[in-house]
Amino acid sequence: MKMRLNGLIKKEFIQIIRDPSSIAIAFLMPLVLLFIFGYGVSLDSEHIPLGLVIESPSADASNFASSFHASRYFETHHFSTTRAAKQAMMEGQISAIIVLKQDFSEELRRSGAPVQLLLNGVDENTARIISGYVDGAFQKWLERDADARGMALETPVRIEQRIWYNSELRSRNFLVPGLIAVIMTLIGALLTALVMAREWERGTMEALLVTPLSMNEVILGKLIPYFLLGMGGLALSVAMALWLFHVPLRGSLWLLFATSALFLIAALGMGLLISSVAKNQFVAGQIAIIGTFLPAFILSGFIFDINSMPGIVRLITHLIAARYYVSILQTLFLAGNEWSVILPNAGALILLAAIFLGLTWRKTKKRLE
Amino acid sequence: MWKRIYALMIKEFLALMKDKAGRLVLVGPPVIQILVFGYAATFDLKHVPYAVYSEDRGYLSRDLLAAFQGSSSFTLKAVLHDERRVAELVQSKKVLMVIRIGQNFSADLARGGTTAFQIIVDGRNSNTAMLVVNYAGTIVKAFNENLAQSHGRAMPVRIDTRAWFNPNLESRWFFIPGIVGLLTLLITMLVTSLSVAREREQGTFDQLLVTPMSPLEILIGKALPGFLIGIFEATVVVLAAVFWFKIPFLGSVLTLYLCILIFLLPAVGMGLMISSIAVTQQQGLLGAFFFMVPAIILSGFATPIRNMPEIVQDLTLINPMRYFLVMLRGVFLEGTPLHLLLPELWPLVAIGLVSLAIAGWLFRNRMY
């Protein structure tokens, strides 16, 4: 059996070398994608264009306005009238307008609303960030102002926040591990999505069927070469995360590779399943386009919080292998060897891998239709 | 000439629809995906699991906790009596946040002083962590205002905040028009990126080249199915967005369709270009992903383009999705008229024509 398997693996490797697109999938794809995304994707907003309107200049007003000039979050543009600022927001040049009202100083002493904030709500996340920041800046300024006048400003209850694992809230620290999960999903499925279908389409499957190879050997022979390629791609991705993007790795590297191996088997298994269900490369390719990237991107908890999704959608996320892997990666990178997270998620990966491979095994009977 | 193009088109449709799996792939997934992704893609927090560890027995801390319990954004999972359990629950991801109130919370407040309490947030997903902090801040702000009112203290000065186009800042309004764009791109790549590669791999493309059809005719014949299916799928997804998710649609339908049509130019062009560079379907599939994944991630769909480094921002100028998302959000939420969309439209036309021309040129000049 070992010899037969060796022969098949050798054949698969020769095929990989002949059409270098497999090698490109395993090595070029993580390199390019991680490079672009690691640098390109960030949720840390900076340089938000902000319009500032001071309806009647006063010492108080310009004092408050100056607190935005130094901020790295904003790029302030001055407008002399609210109308001009509104026009600029309509045209998309600025994302928000701060209006210091005519009676700024009087309102300030009267518990009114001396400041008006107009937001472009289309990008609601940015709008929230702006609103939170302006609120904070205003509060801080009020405190300083009260202090200067020898009074204490009282906020009855304050929150002390402690953010664990990522205290400076560097979004790259969670995006890069998440991206590794997305990229490994693509690698796994792309590598194998076409390989079985190709054999069926070209008729070489029949040639394989008349050999003494058993179905297990055929599946193993397909799995092993691509597994090795995929692990190579993973090693490259982890190296980039650690040394290029300086994401801390607080858990063990061995555990990272072990759990990644589990995930890769599940991802390759999904590719093999697609491939053996479709039986022609065209449809297999189409299913791979639909079934891999967007689900791993949107339903894995990589960006969008799974707890906040409605029940039925949460159920669907349990079918996405990337969901468990994202959880494992974010924990291993940022929190450490946290067995209470790793064990259940690794268990789920094993289960999914078994389901995918089991279904593939059932679908690829030694029989022609 | 049109008769030949028509014949090629019919052939393309037959190739796409000939087996059951192929038909299913074109019709089922877009509908399922808009529904699932539409619910999943949101930055609005709901049911965030949290735990409480309070050493204070006073009514004021109970009031504060009641404010958290009353919020649909948070779901209470555990009330702790042992400090060591705090770390355990956060580490194992059972809760995202722990509220910790010290002994003197109520006493300090009742005396008319100020006090603080602690929230511990799991920062593994720093975006969610930031949202949790903001939500908690909003609850406490309301709590403080209530307190000030009932104790006759002076109301604090506030900022009068108004959001245009999306007054309640609903995350879904931002993401669903984006998903319309994503799915339109996806389905177009599905139809076009493998079509020439398959013919090359099977050798039937040579046969096509020796027919009296000119490369231009082949190009049109290959491109039109992509356009038709793209428009059809976009319609399905737009209908779901408007009637199922009730996303406001302020613009004109005509403007929307013009935008979709113009976007399909580069989408189909890129798909055919990838397809005609590829010699095997595997290469075509790889090419499709190599284009689609960056096109989506660098489009401003979830993370703003403004946050990217300048060199990457420049790179997004050749990304058709970037322009399409701006147009979709504009037409849906702002009712942007056509003439304000011209800065988005002409790059799409340019990218579309260049990619289509390259695809047509490759038909003849790439022979193996």
Side-chain angles (χ1 to χ4, degrees):
Chain A
M1 165 186 174
K2 209 168 155 219
M3 207 181 81
R4 291 198 299 264
L5 196 58
N6 271 340
L8 191 60
I9 292 176
K10 207 186 238 166
K11 174 225 138 203
E12 208 66 38
F13 264 119
I14 292 174
Q15 220 161 5
I16 290 172
I17 292 167
R18 295 254 169 89
D19 180 354
S21 58
S22 291
I23 297 175
I25 291 174
F27 294 104
L28 200 61
M29 194 145 89
L31 197 73
V32 174
L33 293 189
L34 214 54
F35 202 76
I36 298 180
F37 301 157
Y39 282 114
V41 178
S42 159
L43 286 160
D44 311 328
S45 282
E46 285 178 16
H47 309 300
I48 298 172
L50 187 74
L52 196 63
V53 182
I54 301 178
E55 287 186 343
S56 77
S58 69
D60 280 339
S62 54
N63 189 334
F64 174 56
S66 68
S67 55
F68 292 97
H69 290 306
S71 161
R72 70 189 163 95
Y73 295 103
F74 295 111
E75 249 174 50
T76 31
H77 303 265
H78 281 269
F79 294 90
S80 48
T81 63
T82 314
R83 176 197 287 267
K86 281 184 175 170
Q87 183 63 32
M89 186 142 96
M90 274 293 197
E91 285 163 12
Q93 290 162 17
I94 52 178
S95 309
I97 306 170
I98 297 181
V99 184
L100 306 187
K101 290 201 195 145
Q102 210 147 30
D103 39 9
F104 182 78
S105 299
E106 293 92 81
E107 289 273 308
L108 210 53
R109 316 276 175 260
R110 255 205 344 240
S111 308
V115 181
Q116 193 181 38
L117 176 64
L118 296 173
L119 300 163
N120 183 339
V122 172
D123 180 352
E124 58 82 41
N125 200 38
T126 304
R128 268 183 214 281
I129 290 172
I130 297 175
S131 163
Y133 185 88
V134 173
D135 261 347
F138 188 53
Q139 211 59 39
K140 237 181 248 159
W141 181 78
L142 285 176
E143 279 167 30
R144 259 190 293 130
D145 186 56
D147 224 30
R149 286 184 286 121
M151 292 155 57
L153 184 86
E154 288 189 350
T155 315
V157 177
R158 279 178 299 109
I159 301 183
E160 279 172 23
Q161 60 191 59
R162 296 270 182 284
I163 313 283
W164 283 6
Y165 313 123
N166 188 5
S167 49
E168 69 269 50
L169 287 176
R170 202 167 157 252
S171 68
R172 195 176 279 167
N173 281 359
F174 91 91
L175 287 175
V176 170
L179 281 170
I180 293 180
V182 171
I183 291 170
M184 293 306 291
T185 305
L186 291 185
I187 293 180
L190 281 187
L191 283 177
T192 45
L194 302 183
V195 292
M196 293 288 230
R198 188 162 57 198
E199 305 266 9
W200 284 108
E201 190 175 309
R202 293 181 181 165
T204 47
M205 198 58 160
E206 290 178 33
L208 276 183
L209 291 182
V210 296
T211 62
L213 278 166
S214 73
M215 222 52 239
N216 289 337
E217 288 166 350
V218 172
I219 294 177
L220 267 184
K222 294 280 175 192
L223 205 57
I224 291 170
Y226 295 105
F227 177 75
L228 293 178
L229 266 187
M231 286 309 275
L234 175 84
L236 184 68
S237 307
V238 171
M240 284 177 77
L242 293 183
W243 289 305
L244 195 61
F245 298 117
H246 304 289
V247 178
L249 177 65
R250 304 204 170 105
S252 108
L253 191 64
W254 292 113
L255 202 54
L256 178 64
F257 274 94
T259 46
S260 300
L262 288 181
F263 172 74
L264 192 59
I265 294 172
L268 291 169
M270 189 173 109
L272 280 182
L273 181 63
I274 291 175
S275 190
S276 43
V277 170
K279 293 207 174 161
N280 85 57
Q281 292 190 75
F282 191 63
V283 177
Q286 290 184 325
I287 298 177
I289 291 178
I290 293 175
T292 55
F293 169 54
L294 284 185
F297 181 49
I298 296 181
L299 300 178
S300 65
F302 154 54
I303 288 190
F304 302 111
D305 180 48
I306 293 181
N307 286 313
S308 303
M309 300 174 188
I312 185 148
V313 178
R314 270 208 310 274
L315 268 182
I316 294 172
T317 64
H318 282 286
L319 300 173
I320 312 288
R323 175 211 159 123
Y324 307 106
Y325 192 43
V326 166
S327 227
I328 291 178
L329 282 178
Q330 286 180 350
T331 299
L332 276 181
F333 271 103
L334 299 176
N337 294 344
E338 197 44 61
W339 292 102
S340 55
V341 176
I342 290 164
L343 285 180
N345 284 305
L349 285 178
I350 294 175
L351 193 67
L352 273 181
I355 292 174
F356 287 143
L357 290 174
L359 284 175
T360 310
W361 185 77
R362 280 196 54 166
K363 275 277 165 195
T364 25
K365 295 219 182 74
K366 275 198 98 167
R367 153 164 84 81
L368 297 171
E369 276 155 45
Chain B
M1 171 182 170
W2 290 108
K3 217 175 130 191
R4 288 199 293 265
I5 292 176
Y6 180 72
L8 181 59
M9 229 175 77
I10 295 294
K11 182 224 125 203
E12 289 295 317
F13 271 111
L14 284 176
L16 282 171
M17 312 268 191
K18 77 166 191 268
D19 61 354
K20 207 172 119 212
R23 284 193 300 271
L24 221 64
V25 157
L26 283 182
V27 182
V31 178
I32 299 169
Q33 288 193 312
I34 180 86
L35 292 181
V36 173
F37 296 161
Y39 280 115
T42 165
F43 281 147
D44 288 338
L45 291 185
K46 290 199 183 76
H47 318 299
V48 171
Y50 76 103
V52 170
Y53 174 64
S54 172
E55 295 170 312
D56 183 89
R57 297 276 168 270
Y59 73 98
L60 283 169
S61 67
R62 283 207 304 274
D63 281 357
L64 179 71
L65 292 175
F68 276 92
Q69 276 196 48
S71 154
S72 65
S73 306
F74 295 99
T75 305
L76 182 65
K77 284 284 174 194
V79 177
L80 309 179
H81 302 288
D82 182 357
E83 201 180 344
R84 277 166 300 178
R85 290 263 294 151
V86 171
E88 188 190 312
L89 279 177
V90 177
Q91 276 163 7
S92 61
K93 285 192 145 190
K94 296 230 165 56
V95 299
L96 268 182
M97 175 179 78
V98 177
I99 299 179
R100 202 175 145 172
I101 301 182
Q103 282 175 5
N104 304 323
F105 181 88
S106 296
D108 284 347
L109 267 187
R111 258 190 282 113
T114 62
T115 187
F117 70 101
Q118 205 178 53
I119 57 172
I120 294 160
V121 182
D122 179 351
R124 268 171 275 191
N125 182 329
S126 69
N127 192 50
T128 307
M130 207 167 68
L131 293 173
V132 168
V133 170
N134 285 347
Y135 275 58
T138 315
I139 291 177
V140 171
K141 201 170 153 197
F143 179 79
N144 277 337
E145 276 168 19
N146 272 334
L147 205 67
Q149 228 164 17
S150 60
H151 287 67
R153 298 190 198 181
M155 280 289 281
V157 203
R158 55 199 171 77
I159 295 183
D160 171 23
T161 303
R162 267 171 233 171
W164 283 6
F165 311 122
N166 186 358
N168 298 321
L169 292 181
E170 296 211 29
S171 196
R172 211 155 265 156
W173 289 18
F174 175 67
F175 281 112
I176 287 183
I179 292 174
V180 171
L182 252 54
L183 293 180
T184 309
L185 176 75
L186 188 84
I187 212 79
T188 321
M189 295 307 287
L190 208 70
V191 175
T192 53
S193 67
L194 297 176
S195 75
V196 181
R198 172 165 68 170
E199 298 222 29
R200 275 205 208 281
E201 187 171 328
Q202 296 177 345
T204 51
F205 201 67
D206 293 348
Q207 291 172 13
L208 206 58
L209 287 176
V210 296
T211 58
M213 293 189 86
S214 70
L216 183 69
E217 288 168 8
I218 299 178
L219 185 70
I220 297 175
K222 286 264 176 202
L224 275 179
F227 272 95
L228 292 177
I229 293 175
I231 287 180
F232 171 73
E233 304 280 356
T235 307
V236 172
V237 180
V238 166
L239 287 177
V242 174
F243 291 105
W244 182 267
F245 287 105
K246 308 264 187 259
I247 307 298
F249 185 84
L250 302 180
S252 87
V253 179
L254 208 67
T255 312
L256 179 73
Y257 271 90
L258 193 77
C259 292
I260 293 175
L261 208 66
I262 303 256
F263 168 72
L264 287 173
L265 222 56
V268 169
M270 284 290 190
L272 285 179
M273 192 173 97
I274 289 163
S275 185
S276 38
I277 292 171
V279 183
T280 61
Q281 293 182 68
Q282 178 162 10
Q283 291 175 2
L285 188 63
L286 172 67
F289 275 99
F290 247 126
F291 167 68
M292 198 170 70
V293 175
I296 289 175
I297 294 206
L298 301 180
S299 65
F301 167 70
T303 61
I305 290 179
R306 200 186 47 247
N307 289 359
M308 299 169 189
E310 279 195 12
I311 181 154
V312 181
Q313 287 195 29
D314 291 342
L315 200 67
T316 64
L317 291 177
I318 54 166
N319 179 4
M321 277 301 277
R322 173 207 166 120
Y323 304 104
F324 193 39
L325 291 193
V326 172
M327 298 194 304
L328 282 171
R329 286 173 182 148
V331 173
F332 264 90
L333 302 179
E334 300 177 35
T336 313
L338 192 61
H339 67 270
L340 283 182
L341 292 173
L342 284 178
E344 271 75 39
L345 284 172
W346 74 260
L348 285 181
V349 174
I351 301 169
L353 291 182
V354 169
S355 55
L356 281 169
I358 294 176
W361 183 82
L362 281 169
F363 284 170
R364 251 210 198 290
N365 293 283
R366 176 157 184 141
M367 290 277 287
Y368 277 90

